[in-house]
């Protein structure tokens, strides 16, 4: 089992020591007698030696920290002993909650002293320090709390349970983090950020956050929010910082390296993608009116700045290209001299696109399906389905052309032809088998590593004519329908169905499905369900 090492009694009158060096790194195997760390008092240096052969699992202090004698400084285990980050996190959390008996002062009963019954409760009650602070914060009487720990010790869990049973108005179970835990992270952001993803997640969950499966927090990433809800598959890149009151991120959303998300409230939908170096915040991010909402399937490019002084609302399937500035306040010169000062929210509705290096000023509204051309400045409204451009941006034309069945068929065939050209350019052999059926089904056979792969395209509903024989019985099959989803699916474990107009996909697929899906994404056709990550393939 892992164990925690403490600064021993050094025989010094000085209570505090300074950690001056880590002589053994995390993951290092240390022989008995080797130095793990070095501490100093005002008069001497002391080497903390290993009492047996061991492995350093975690460092609980950093160089320069002042520690009291008896303080925790490392987590270790025997070599080859099976350990997990979750086990280490549990050990650290248990140490944080180690019981201590409340002081037993001599009661001095005067007219202003405590009630005798309350003093008696204080004398006989054992309570862990964090639970005691939490009870004080929530105004709970410890005499009404039943302890579940050893010997009736009151734990944090008991305080949480009592908050519910006693209907404490300050209790909120929806992902609220323990304030003391947040303060602990704030006291040494760098050290906490350097912990492994599994260890950070385990601690966040233990102290109140709601976190789904397959979430990953990269090196340096930290969350400093009072309420945290991360759905399954969320990924935070290296050195990402999230700070504010509420953070909620939907399923399989991705926040790239070095991004900073700061607002009173941050809500990010499912399958959103923040590239890298995105800054949400700036002046006024702590204001109560501050919030940022990004809908499902959104794309936020690198070096985008979203000023969150007032609300920023971004709808579903919105593309915000790189180097865009979205401002919710503007001021420089004094209002007393007649200069205008504006504080106003910004709204970007569903399926809109903001081009490279645009600026949206306070109060701007970009309506559904609109496009703002690169290097434009928006002041006011961009109308639904229109293309605006210039400084200031003005209405230029419709953002898209009318479509019918014939034009959609031509676009689908153009997409297929460009995909075939791309695959052939990467050295893959592709053969078309011709046109068959009433709906003009077209079929292609692709050279693959172990067996051929088939891609079939048709316009509408019907039964696909799937070739057999010649090594095709075990081929990967991708069925593509221009309008609607294929309904007659062969009993084939490697079959994927795609509806182009509906932007839907069904089936796990293999390399052909992944490659074609990525090709569609680059043409604005983002298939659901799924994420932005391309696992690799033929293009």
């Amino acid at each position: 089992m892992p164990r925690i090492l403490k600064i021993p009694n050094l025989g010094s009158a000085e209570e505090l020591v300074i950690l001056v060096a880590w002589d053994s790194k995390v993951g290092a195997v240390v022989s008995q007698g080797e130095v793990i760390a070095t501490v100093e008092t005002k008069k001497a240096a002391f080497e903390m030696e290993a009492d047996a052969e061991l492995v350093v699992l975690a460092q609980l202090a950093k160089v320069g920290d002042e520690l009291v004698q008896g303080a925790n400084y490392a987590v270790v285990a025997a070599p080859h002993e099976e350990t997990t980050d979750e086990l280490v996190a549990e050990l650290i959390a248990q140490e944080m909650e180690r019981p201590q008996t409340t002081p037993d002062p001599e009661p001095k009963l005067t007219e202003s002293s405590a009630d005798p019954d309350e003093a008696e409760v204080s004398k006989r009650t054992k309570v862990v320090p964090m639970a005691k602070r939490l009870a004080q914060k929530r105004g709970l009487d410890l005499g009404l709390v039943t302890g579940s720990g050893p010997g009736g010790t009151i734990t944090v869990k008991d305080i949480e349970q009592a908050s519910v049973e006693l209907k404490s108005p300050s209790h909120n179970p929806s992902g609220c983090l323990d304030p003391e835990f947040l303060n602990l992270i704030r006291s040494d952001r760098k050290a906490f950020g350097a912990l492994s993803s599994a260890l950070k997640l385990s601690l966040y969950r233990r102290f109140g956050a709601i976190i789904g499966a397959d979430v990953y927090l990269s090196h340096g990433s930290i969350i400093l929010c009072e309420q945290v809800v991360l759905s399954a598959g969320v990924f935070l890149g290296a050195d990402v910082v999230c700070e504010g009151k509420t953070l909620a991120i939907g399923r399989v959303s991705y926040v790239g390296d070095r991004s900073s998300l700061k607002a009173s409230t941050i809500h990010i939908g499912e399958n959103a993608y923040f590239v890298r170096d995105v800054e949400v915040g700036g002046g006024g991010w702590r204001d109560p009116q501050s919030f940022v909402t990004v809908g499902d399937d959104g794309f936020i490019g690198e070096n985008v700045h979203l000023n969150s002084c007032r609300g920023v609302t971004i709808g579903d399937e919105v593309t915000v290209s790189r180097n865009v500035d979205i401002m919710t306040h503007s001021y420089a010169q004094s209002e007393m001299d007649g200069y205008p000062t504006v504080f106003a929210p910004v709204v970007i509705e569903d399926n809109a696109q903001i081009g490279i290096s645009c600026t949206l000023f306070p109060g701007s509204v970009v309506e559904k399906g609109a496009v703002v051309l690169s290097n434009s400045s928006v002041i006011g409204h961009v109308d639904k389905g229109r293309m605006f451009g210039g400084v200031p941006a003005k209405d230029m034309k419709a953002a898209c052309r009318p479509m019918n069945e014939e034009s959609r068929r031509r676009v689908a065939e153009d997409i297929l032809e460009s995909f075939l050209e791309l695959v052939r350019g990467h050295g893959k052999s592709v053969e078309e088998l011709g046109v068959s059926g009433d709906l003009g089904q077209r079929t292609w056979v692709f050279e693959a590593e172990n067996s051929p792969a088939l891609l079939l395209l048709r316009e509408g509903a019907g039964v696909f004519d799937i070739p057999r024989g010649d090594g095709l019985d075990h081929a990967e099959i991708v069925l593509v329908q221009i309008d609607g989803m294929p309904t007659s699916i062969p009993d084939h474990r490697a079959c994927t169905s795609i509806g182009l107009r509906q932007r839907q996909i069904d089936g796990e697929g293999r390399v052909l499905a992944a490659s074609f899906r990525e090709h569609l994404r680059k043409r604005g056709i983002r298939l659901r369900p799924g994420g932005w990550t391309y696992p690799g393939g033929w293009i």
Side-chain angles (χ1 to χ4, degrees):
M1 287 285 293
R3 58 192 174 99
I4 289 182
L5 298 182
K6 299 175 180 291
I7 303 294
N9 187 332
L10 302 174
S12 169
E14 299 173 39
E15 183 180 354
L16 294 177
V17 298
I18 297 175
L19 180 66
V20 295
W22 279 107
D23 300 279
S24 299
K25 297 180 179 180
V26 173
V29 177
V30 184
S31 301
Q32 183 175 3
E34 281 192 62
V35 178
I36 300 172
T38 302
V39 299
E40 286 183 354
T41 66
K42 292 180 179 178
K43 298 180 180 179
F46 297 86
E47 295 178 336
M48 305 293 102
E49 297 180 353
D51 56 4
E53 187 178 29
L54 50 81
V55 177
V56 179
L57 300 179
Q59 298 172 344
L60 303 182
K62 67 179 187 300
V63 172
D65 280 353
E66 284 190 336
L67 305 172
V68 297
Q69 296 185 41
N72 306 324
Y73 74 93
V75 181
V76 299
H80 312 301
E81 186 176 12
E82 290 189 7
T83 61
T84 64
D85 287 326
E86 288 78 9
L87 192 60
V88 174
E90 179 71 17
L91 182 65
I92 295 172
Q94 287 176 359
E95 188 65 25
M96 291 174 63
E97 294 188 350
R98 186 171 298 281
Q100 73 174 24
T101 303
T102 54
D104 185 12
E106 287 291 328
K108 298 180 180 179
L109 298 180
T110 65
E111 291 184 0
S112 60
S113 66
D115 183 271
D117 292 336
E118 183 178 334
E120 185 62 27
V121 167
S122 177
K123 287 174 64 178
R124 67 171 181 264
T125 301
K126 289 184 177 181
V127 54
V128 302
M130 187 177 292
K132 185 176 182 180
R133 290 191 294 269
L134 186 59
Q136 292 172 343
K137 185 176 181 65
R138 295 186 175 177
L140 286 178
D141 181 356
L142 288 174
L144 302 176
V145 180
T146 301
S148 63
T153 299
I154 295 174
T155 67
V156 170
K157 182 179 179 181
D158 298 326
I159 299 299
E160 294 286 2
Q161 183 64 32
S163 297
V164 178
E165 293 174 352
L166 301 174
K167 298 182 180 180
S168 171
S170 61
H171 178 68
N172 185 346
S174 303
C176 291
L177 285 177
D178 187 305
E180 296 297 332
F181 173 63
L182 268 180
N183 289 336
L184 181 66
I185 301 174
R186 290 190 181 105
S187 68
D188 195 341
R189 298 184 179 198
K190 187 175 181 180
F192 185 84
L195 298 176
S196 70
S197 175
L199 183 51
K200 287 187 284 191
L201 291 172
S202 182
L203 289 168
Y204 275 121
R205 289 186 178 109
R206 182 177 182 85
F207 289 101
I210 297 175
I211 299 176
D214 301 320
V215 173
Y216 191 84
L217 307 182
S218 301
H219 183 276
S221 63
I222 59 171
I223 299 171
L224 297 168
C225 298
E226 298 173 15
Q227 184 179 23
V228 178
V229 179
L230 305 180
S231 299
V234 168
F235 181 94
L236 300 188
D239 300 315
V240 169
V241 177
C242 302
E243 191 166 0
K245 290 186 177 180
T246 300
L247 174 70
I249 303 182
R251 190 182 61 85
V252 300
S253 285
Y254 178 104
V255 181
D257 295 350
R258 300 178 302 280
S259 292
S260 174
L261 311 184
K262 297 181 180 182
S264 182
T265 300
I266 303 168
H267 283 172
I268 299 173
E270 295 188 357
N271 193 36
Y273 194 93
F274 288 52
V275 179
R276 61 179 176 274
D277 297 300
V278 174
E279 182 188 29
V280 174
W285 71 264
R286 290 184 176 87
D287 288 0
Q289 305 95 326
S290 164
F291 72 86
V292 171
T293 299
V294 178
D296 297 342
D297 303 303
F299 179 91
I300 310 295
E302 59 265 42
N303 299 309
V304 166
H305 173 71
L306 305 180
N307 171 236
S308 57
C309 176
R310 296 296 182 267
V312 176
T313 303
I314 298 176
D316 296 339
E317 295 194 71
V318 169
T319 297
V320 180
S321 305
R322 65 179 182 268
N323 299 322
V324 166
D325 285 307
I326 298 177
M327 304 303 299
T328 59
H329 71 77
S330 61
Y331 62 86
Q333 293 107 327
S334 171
E335 275 191 294
M336 296 301 294
D337 293 334
Y339 292 99
T341 298
V342 180
F343 290 78
V346 170
V347 176
I348 305 174
E349 296 182 355
D350 296 350
N351 199 36
Q353 177 176 339
I354 311 300
I356 297 169
S357 299
C358 287
T359 301
L360 276 62
F361 286 96
S364 296
V365 176
V366 180
E367 295 186 352
K368 184 176 181 179
V371 173
V372 179
L373 296 178
S374 297
N375 298 303
S376 298
S377 294
V378 176
I379 304 172
H381 269 67
V382 175
D383 296 332
K384 178 180 178 180
R386 302 296 296 178
M387 179 181 290
F388 274 54
V391 181
K394 297 180 179 180
D395 191 352
M396 302 180 72
K397 63 177 182 178
C400 59
R401 65 183 186 275
M403 298 288 284
N404 55 33
E405 289 186 7
E406 176 59 23
S407 58
R408 289 193 180 92
R409 183 188 64 78
R410 289 198 304 268
V411 168
E413 290 183 345
D414 288 344
I415 290 173
L416 260 296
E417 290 298 333
S418 62
F419 177 66
L420 298 174
E421 181 180 357
L422 194 58
V423 170
R424 290 188 179 109
H426 283 278
K428 289 292 179 184
S429 173
V430 184
E431 177 186 0
E432 183 170 3
L433 298 185
V435 180
S436 62
D438 296 337
L439 294 172
Q441 172 186 308
R442 298 179 66 183
T443 303
W444 292 268
V445 179
F446 295 76
E447 171 194 5
E449 284 69 20
N450 300 317
S451 62
L454 295 170
L455 191 149
L456 296 79
L457 171 70
R458 72 175 184 206
E459 289 188 44
V463 178
F464 278 93
D465 180 16
I466 299 175
R468 300 293 183 184
D470 296 329
L472 299 178
D473 292 341
H474 300 287
E476 177 188 4
I477 300 173
V478 177
L479 307 179
V480 182
Q481 194 163 297
I482 297 173
D483 196 358
M485 282 291 289
T487 55
S488 179
I489 309 300
D491 184 13
H492 194 297
R493 63 178 181 171
C495 182
T496 302
S497 302
I498 294 174
L500 289 180
R501 188 176 179 188
Q502 284 69 29
R503 290 182 289 172
Q504 293 288 325
I505 187 169
D506 184 33
E508 296 182 4
R510 297 176 185 168
V511 64
L512 173 58
S515 301
F516 187 58
R517 179 179 191 150
E518 176 67 5
H519 185 70
L520 293 176
R521 186 187 70 80
K522 292 178 178 178
R523 280 147 184 80
I525 304 172
R526 295 186 285 274
L527 301 177
R528 304 187 190 94
W532 291 85
T533 304
Y534 175 44
W538 294 340
I539 63 174

